Each structure stands twice: as C-alpha cells, then as structure tokens.
Amino acid sequence: MQGISYMIDSTNKALSDEIISLVEQILDSKAKDPTTDTKELESKIDSLVYTLYNLTNDEITTIDSKT
C-alpha cells in the first residue's frame, strides 16, 4: 500500500501561517502561566488542520471520538 503525501504547499500557506500563529500564542501563554487554558486555541488549530487536509465530517467525527 502506497502512502499519501500530505505536504503544506504554497496554496495552503494562509492556513499554515494561521496554524503557526495559534501555536505561537499557545506557547507564549504557557510560558507565562503553564496552567493557562488553551483549549479554545487548540480547537481552532484542529479545525484548520481538518480544513487543510479536506477531511469529511465522518473523518472528523472519527478523530474527535478518539480524543
């Protein structure tokens, strides 16, 4: 079975930049206070990743049920 390559290319640059920004926000928040609740930012990242990989609602449901 051959794997599928999932690369972030220039067509997805805006999405990848937004993900990077959110990750940086989480890291900054956690550096200041490790107990900071970052679930909202993490949820935004999840949604962007789902969009980045064009996941279906069924795939998203499967992933979300495992976390």
Side-chain angles (χ1 to χ4, degrees):
M1 185 165 114
Q2 188 174 9
I4 299 171
S5 177
Y6 292 106
M7 304 223 12
I8 298 174
D9 60 20
S10 61
T11 59
N12 295 319
K13 178 121 175 64
L15 278 176
S16 64
D17 287 347
E18 191 169 352
I19 292 169
I20 290 167
S21 174
L22 291 168
V23 169
E24 289 172 346
Q25 289 177 51
I26 290 171
L27 293 174
D28 289 344
S29 295
K30 292 290 187 178
K32 292 175 188 169
D33 179 4
T35 64
T36 299
D37 182 6
T38 57
K39 288 181 182 164
E40 185 177 332
L41 294 172
E42 293 170 38
S43 180
K44 288 179 183 179
I45 292 171
D46 289 345
S47 294
L48 291 170
V49 170
Y50 299 156
T51 300
L52 184 67
Y53 291 109
N54 297 314
L55 297 183
T56 65
N57 286 335
D58 286 342
E59 291 168 326
I60 293 168
T61 301
T62 300
I63 292 167
D64 286 345
S65 70
K66 306 239 183 216
T67 58

